Amino acid sequence: MAMAASMQQKPHVAKVQHFEKPAPSLHAIEFDKVNFSYGALSQKKYPILNDVTLKIARGECVCLTGPSGCGKTTLTRLCNGLIPTFYEGVKQGRVLIDGIELEQWEMDDLCRVVGSVFQNPRSQFFNLDTTSELAYGCENLGIRREEILNRVAQTVETLGLQNLLERDIHDLSGGQRQLLALGTVCAMGTEIFILDEPTANLDAAATQAVKRTLQRLKELKKTILIVEHRLHWLEGLVDRVVCMSEGHIVHDWHVQEFAALPPRTTAELGLRAWALRDLCLGPQAQTSREHPRDTARALDIQADGIRAGYGPRREILKGLSFSATGGHAIAVVGRNGQGKSTLAQVMAGLLRETYGGLAISAQPLDVRRRTGCVYLVLQESGYQLFGTSVRKEFEISLAPAGSAASRAPVPLGPAHIDELIERFGLSGTDERHPASLSGGEKQRLAVAVGVYAGAKVLVLDEPTSGLDLANMRRCAGEIRRLADEGRCIFVITHDAELVTSACDQVIEVADGRVRSAYELTDETLPRVLEVLAPDHVGAEVSLTASGDFGRARKEEFSGAYRPGG
Amino acid sequence: MAVALRSWRRAGSQLRARDIERRLEQALAERRSVDPRIQLAILVMMNLMATTPTPAFLDIAGLVLAAALLAYGGRWVNALKWLVGYAALWLVAVLCSVSADPFLVSVGAMLMMMRKMYAIAMLATHLVLTVRVGELACALQRMHVPRLLIVALSVSLRFFPTLAAEASAVVGAMKLRGIRLSLHSVLQHPLRMIEYFAVPLMLRISVVTDEVSRAATVRGIDSRHSRTSLYALCIGRADCCFLLSFVALTIASAVCAYDSLTFMGLF
């Protein structure tokens, strides 16, 4: 291990007992005037961390927030040993984990003390079944089998994961996967938990389940460090809110101080809302209702009894109907696994419905002709960019193959490219490769090429997951502008702040159907908040008790692990 | 399977740790299947068998034994399906080989060759579908396979489903941009299709690889301790029976092969 190369004596932490109080040390995590930059010493690099001093006491739960690129993630990497094991860089100052300097830790021992859960539930598992996954960390550390069984059982009881045992990981929803990842880490006997945007992809109920689990860990006096943009779910969980900006720690509030700050102050710091009950509608809801645009009348979308799914036994949409007109931004809300993304795929022509149909301006639109009329912007929008430069991106054809081309919308001319580049804030990036753009820029480029191709209906899938306040606002502004130009924008989202600042209509999807559709007004605002953030209106939510809602297999207990049988 | 698990579901979140531990132990013990090590050994033997000319009755004996192995692992419906498939394959092969058409005769001969691989396909599928990554790792650890190899193997098992998922995601994203991946488009613009398909796929894979290796690092994959396992594999009486039957089969086919080769005057 690289980090242990220079040291003489190893710290004596080989036996950390599960759930036992660790040896006393003042702070779980301590940063003392730390500077850090990636890359080797010889290269002159921009410092990511700049004179960071931070002390996190044992049993404390701290939220670390700040605009994108402020160094939050780098700070966590210094805590969990990914720096220097995985990333190289130059560090000055002292980092103490559990009272011992980072350089003195062997990775082997560090991962018994510090456990990490990452943002993407897709890529942190090594087994296909949950039980083996819970034991995986312990197995790596060479813990005896009886002890592993004991730890797994302890973890399951403590975190309430009874319903997740002996299941196929593919059948778990995103929220359940995050709980499982927490369980794996917990079984390793860790004292410090580091979570990097653990709820970026989760709906309200799943977020609440993660919160409850973290609360249990907190009761056990575990130290928790959460890196987050969306702050509202952290109320009642965190003790401190630390705000970073450009590599500095600019604020370190006690949670009560932070909650007392006026929303304007936090917004100036680029932070997302703390209390969703303070949210109020933007001006868009009023204006779009009072001033219907002429262009708006030209466009209307009808979905009529759409049924679709993945094979005969996994029907997701069960007769979904709605109608919408141009000039509106429509929030499509509902819990995960209820059919929102499937609807997007059907609308964009990626998935053929088995029944029903979609019509635009009273013209039935076959699934093959939808690409071009309806344009889907993926959550990871970088993946739908194929050009070698921003300008070339626009030149990639959007005309569907064959006879359908005659029905395709007329793309704007090449003269519009400069205009669009300018309008979407991409000036100066003309010749850059799309992969080198930031997350927000990639998203804007993906939207811009859709607009260029003449799409009248845009569907945005979770456009603001992992975006900070500035980017979220910018995204909301673009959505509003596209709608005001007469397009019809569908926004699939869990983000209450985005809904209130950009959308003027709501479609609630539940169990493959439209549960209700209504205009977003001050009267209906509590209704949509109940879906997006049930905890704030006192609604009871449950993730594990109702079993698996993420996939179609709900009733049967998939404990008998026989995939493909 | 798994009475313990069903009652588990019913008891729900009231279960205490001691109870959970007991039931977990029971559930793991109930995972009745032939030991992965034995399955691997059998696969090696069957592969050897496939390289030798053997009479049909030995092939069928191998097939029946393989079916018994599946049935022992609780997948008897599956075993029956495989047997029916075998019968169908043979029937087609025979029909082809008696026809006058030289093309069909050659197809028949090819199907006859495939018949020899059939039991191997059956056993390999069974191994991949029923043996958990953790169990396989445990089996390899017992065989003192180096840690690095075990890690590489278990990660690569995870890689292929990921590759498939990422590839279909890229095809979906291409469709969104009006780029269709078809035989026609590939033949017309081979380079462009590589650019649109292969490059994003590589990018995605490298992101996933990065994420997975980070997750592995913080879960102690580089630990200096020797790896342990949740699974307590032991070779039981049934395992020995299967192993011995397959050894007998291999010896029998070796003898037959030797005989036929002697007959042909090669020895």
Side-chain angles (χ1 to χ4, degrees):
Chain A
M1 200 68 27
M3 62 198 297
S6 63
M7 62 165 218
Q8 270 87 47
Q9 92 250 53
K10 289 173 183 172
H12 188 70
V13 279
K15 292 226 166 176
V16 178
Q17 282 294 314
H18 192 44
F19 298 133
E20 191 198 85
K21 284 230 165 157
S25 130
L26 285 176
H27 297 286
I29 299 170
E30 199 175 340
F31 279 67
D32 188 17
K33 297 202 181 83
V34 175
N35 292 310
F36 183 82
S37 55
Y38 289 104
L41 191 60
S42 54
Q43 294 162 289
K44 187 128 173 103
K45 289 264 182 167
Y46 172 72
I48 306 290
L49 293 185
N50 214 330
D51 196 27
V52 168
T53 300
L54 177 70
K55 289 190 171 99
I56 298 176
R58 307 202 141 275
E60 234 183 344
C61 180
V62 175
C63 167
L64 184 63
T65 188
S68 300
C70 67
K72 306 185 291 287
T73 302
T74 305
L75 194 146
T76 66
R77 285 174 185 160
L78 280 164
C79 298
N80 60 21
L82 282 178
I83 299 172
T85 312
F86 204 81
Y87 298 95
E88 279 187 17
V90 182
K91 175 176 133 299
Q92 288 158 340
R94 299 198 318 157
V95 177
L96 289 99
I97 307 296
D98 217 11
I100 298 166
E101 279 210 41
L102 185 65
E103 284 73 15
Q104 307 238 317
W105 282 98
E106 285 248 23
M107 193 64 205
D108 213 344
D109 300 316
L110 189 62
C111 52
R112 290 165 193 255
V113 179
V114 183
S116 308
V117 173
F118 300 104
Q119 178 181 352
N120 196 341
R122 181 185 62 188
S123 55
Q124 44 185 321
F125 298 114
F126 301 88
N127 292 275
L128 301 172
D129 67 290
T130 52
T131 312
S132 309
E133 187 60 37
L134 281 171
Y136 183 75
C138 299
E139 291 178 340
N140 281 337
L141 297 179
I143 292 160
R144 280 180 309 121
R145 177 167 187 268
E146 297 73 39
E147 175 73 12
I148 294 179
L149 272 169
N150 186 280
R151 284 184 177 201
V152 168
Q154 282 277 358
T155 305
V156 167
E157 186 199 326
T158 318
L159 304 186
L161 304 179
Q162 284 87 346
N163 280 312
L164 296 187
L165 271 172
E166 291 283 282
R167 292 177 66 169
D168 188 344
I169 290 182
H170 281 296
D171 288 346
L172 301 189
S173 66
Q176 289 170 325
R177 288 180 195 206
Q178 289 299 52
L179 294 187
L180 181 65
L182 265 173
T184 309
V185 166
C186 195
M188 291 168 80
T190 50
E191 288 301 322
I192 302 166
F193 289 78
I194 292 172
L195 298 94
D196 196 348
E197 298 195 44
T199 64
N201 304 324
L202 305 188
D203 65 10
T207 305
Q208 285 308 302
V210 171
K211 179 178 175 180
R212 270 201 303 274
T213 309
L214 289 175
Q215 269 163 339
R216 271 182 223 158
L217 288 174
K218 200 181 157 192
E219 283 160 19
L220 291 167
K221 302 280 177 231
K222 307 281 179 185
T223 311
I224 306 169
L225 177 63
I226 307 169
V227 172
E228 257 303 1
H229 284 301
R230 292 195 305 171
L231 301 177
H232 63 83
W233 67 279
L234 297 169
E235 201 185 8
L237 176 67
V238 296
D239 305 314
R240 270 162 69 193
V241 178
V242 175
C243 175
M244 285 183 75
S245 175
E246 291 171 359
H248 296 278
I249 289 185
V250 285
H251 288 283
D252 188 346
W253 296 282
H254 189 268
V255 69
Q256 275 145 9
E257 286 174 88
F258 184 73
L261 291 175
R264 180 181 299 232
T265 315
T266 52
E268 273 167 13
L269 290 161
L271 303 184
R272 307 282 297 262
W274 175 252
L276 290 187
R277 63 181 90 82
D278 296 339
L279 283 185
C280 49
L281 289 181
Q284 84 282 355
Q286 287 290 320
T287 48
S288 74
R289 201 163 42 253
E290 286 163 8
H291 308 287
R293 282 160 186 81
D294 295 337
T295 45
R297 282 187 213 112
L299 178 68
D300 85 316
I301 302 113
Q302 292 274 347
D304 187 22
I306 291 179
R307 287 175 175 273
Y310 309 92
R313 291 176 68 187
R314 281 192 53 203
E315 186 175 67
I316 308 287
L317 300 181
K318 299 163 184 166
L320 183 142
S321 309
F322 63 82
S323 74
T325 51
H328 293 289
I330 301 153
V332 181
V333 300
R335 286 176 69 170
N336 276 341
Q338 303 288 301
K340 300 191 302 293
S341 297
T342 312
L343 174 65
Q345 293 198 318
V346 169
M347 287 177 73
L350 292 183
L351 185 69
R352 185 184 289 277
E353 66 273 8
T354 51
Y355 188 82
L358 191 75
I360 291 186
S361 302
Q363 295 251 0
L365 203 59
D366 181 68
V367 69
R368 289 181 64 98
R369 294 208 312 266
R370 280 177 206 159
T371 317
C373 290
V374 182
Y375 182 73
L376 171 63
V377 181
L378 300 171
Q379 185 178 346
E380 289 166 287
S381 43
Y383 292 136
Q384 68 193 95
L385 302 174
F386 296 93
T388 47
S389 75
V390 169
R391 184 168 291 278
K392 287 204 175 112
E393 197 62 57
F394 286 91
E395 288 157 16
I396 292 174
S397 145
L398 233 169
S403 61
S406 56
R407 293 290 209 88
V410 187
L412 304 171
H416 285 81
I417 293 180
D418 290 315
E419 202 182 309
L420 283 170
I421 286 180
E422 174 80 35
R423 169 182 158 180
F424 283 91
L426 297 165
S427 353
T429 62
D430 291 34
E431 299 309 320
R432 276 172 65 186
H433 194 281
S436 71
L437 301 177
S438 76
E441 284 169 336
K442 280 181 198 163
Q443 190 182 56
R444 293 200 293 276
L445 179 59
V447 173
V449 292
V451 170
Y452 177 70
K456 297 206 181 71
V457 181
L458 274 86
V459 184
L460 285 84
D461 194 357
E462 288 288 349
T464 55
S465 100
L467 292 192
D468 61 4
L469 184 76
N471 278 307
M472 190 278 287
R473 287 203 166 153
R474 182 152 202 172
C475 178
E478 293 298 350
I479 288 171
R480 206 50 248 166
R481 190 145 72 144
L482 291 167
D484 288 343
E485 284 168 359
R487 290 185 188 82
C488 185
I489 316 293
F490 290 84
V491 187
I492 296 170
T493 189
H494 301 300
D495 189 338
E497 289 171 271
L498 176 68
V499 171
T500 52
S501 52
C503 300
D504 55 90
Q505 290 188 347
V506 177
I507 290 179
E508 271 181 43
V509 177
D511 195 27
R513 297 185 187 87
V514 171
R515 187 163 74 176
S516 56
Y518 45 87
E519 288 197 358
L520 188 59
T521 59
D522 289 327
E523 291 78 53
T524 56
L525 181 62
R527 204 165 146 192
V528 68
L529 284 184
E530 190 171 330
V531 179
L532 295 170
D535 52 315
H536 285 270
V537 282
E540 185 51 42
V541 287
S542 158
L543 179 73
T544 47
S546 67
D548 181 22
F549 59 81
R551 295 280 178 137
R553 286 164 72 179
K554 275 180 198 154
E555 271 69 54
E556 103 195 56
F557 178 41
S558 50
Y561 176 68
R562 293 269 181 252
Chain B
M1 154 117 189
V3 183
L5 293 179
R6 248 171 271 137
S7 60
W8 194 329
R9 175 87 166 151
R10 229 171 289 132
S13 52
Q14 269 78 52
L15 280 181
R16 296 282 140 237
R18 262 178 56 195
D19 239 0
I20 296 168
E21 193 177 334
R22 193 170 48 77
R23 285 174 198 230
L24 192 56
E25 183 97 65
Q26 205 179 332
L28 294 180
E30 275 179 35
R31 288 184 50 76
R32 196 181 70 157
S33 187
V34 175
D35 189 283
R37 286 165 288 180
I38 304 287
Q39 289 199 42
L40 283 172
I42 289 174
L43 260 177
V44 170
M45 285 190 280
M46 292 298 278
N47 272 297
L48 285 177
M49 254 181 82
T51 58
T52 56
T54 44
F57 77 91
L58 278 181
D59 285 346
I60 292 179
L63 186 82
V64 169
L65 272 176
L69 194 147
L70 260 67
Y72 179 76
R75 288 165 62 89
W76 54 273
V77 177
N78 226 274
L80 275 180
K81 282 185 193 161
W82 279 101
L83 287 179
V84 170
Y86 186 81
L89 186 71
W90 201 358
L91 190 71
V92 173
V94 168
L95 284 179
C96 285
S97 50
V98 297
S99 77
D101 186 351
F103 173 70
L104 282 183
V105 170
S106 63
V107 168
M110 206 182 71
L111 289 179
M112 280 293 184
M113 295 279 284
M114 270 174 68
R115 222 169 38 99
K116 286 186 80 70
M117 312 293 288
Y118 198 84
I120 298 174
M122 197 167 159
L123 289 169
T125 316
H126 182 71
L127 183 78
V128 170
L129 286 185
T130 61
V131 175
R132 293 180 173 180
V133 178
E135 282 174 314
L136 189 66
C138 177
L140 296 173
Q141 278 155 232
R142 297 282 179 82
M143 290 156 70
H144 300 288
V145 173
R147 186 191 186 105
L148 201 70
L149 258 177
I150 297 174
V151 168
L153 189 73
S154 51
V155 170
S156 57
L157 280 178
R158 282 274 287 108
F159 177 74
F160 291 103
T162 309
L163 183 70
E166 296 297 320
S168 82
V170 172
V171 172
M174 285 167 71
K175 248 181 172 178
L176 289 179
R177 297 294 308 281
I179 312 165
R180 290 196 186 257
L181 188 67
S182 61
L183 191 63
H184 180 74
S185 66
V186 169
L187 290 178
Q188 213 173 8
H189 307 286
L191 279 180
R192 202 179 293 172
M193 285 302 137
I194 289 173
E195 187 187 323
Y196 291 161
F197 178 74
V199 174
L201 185 63
M202 304 280 219
L203 271 175
R204 291 183 77 124
I205 293 289
S206 75
V207 169
V208 173
T209 314
D210 211 48
E211 287 175 348
V212 168
S213 27
R214 261 183 287 167
T217 310
V218 298
R219 279 171 186 48
I221 201 141
D222 300 322
S223 173
R224 59 176 184 272
H225 298 278
S226 60
R227 227 177 159 266
T228 51
S229 180
L230 175 68
Y231 298 93
L233 294 181
C234 60
I235 294 175
R237 211 171 297 160
D239 295 325
C240 291
C241 287
F242 274 112
L243 185 67
L244 288 179
S245 338
F246 276 97
V247 167
L249 195 69
T250 315
I251 292 172
S253 61
V255 169
C256 285
Y258 182 72
D259 276 355
S260 61
L261 293 179
T262 333
F263 181 73
M264 285 156 70
L266 286 173
F267 283 98

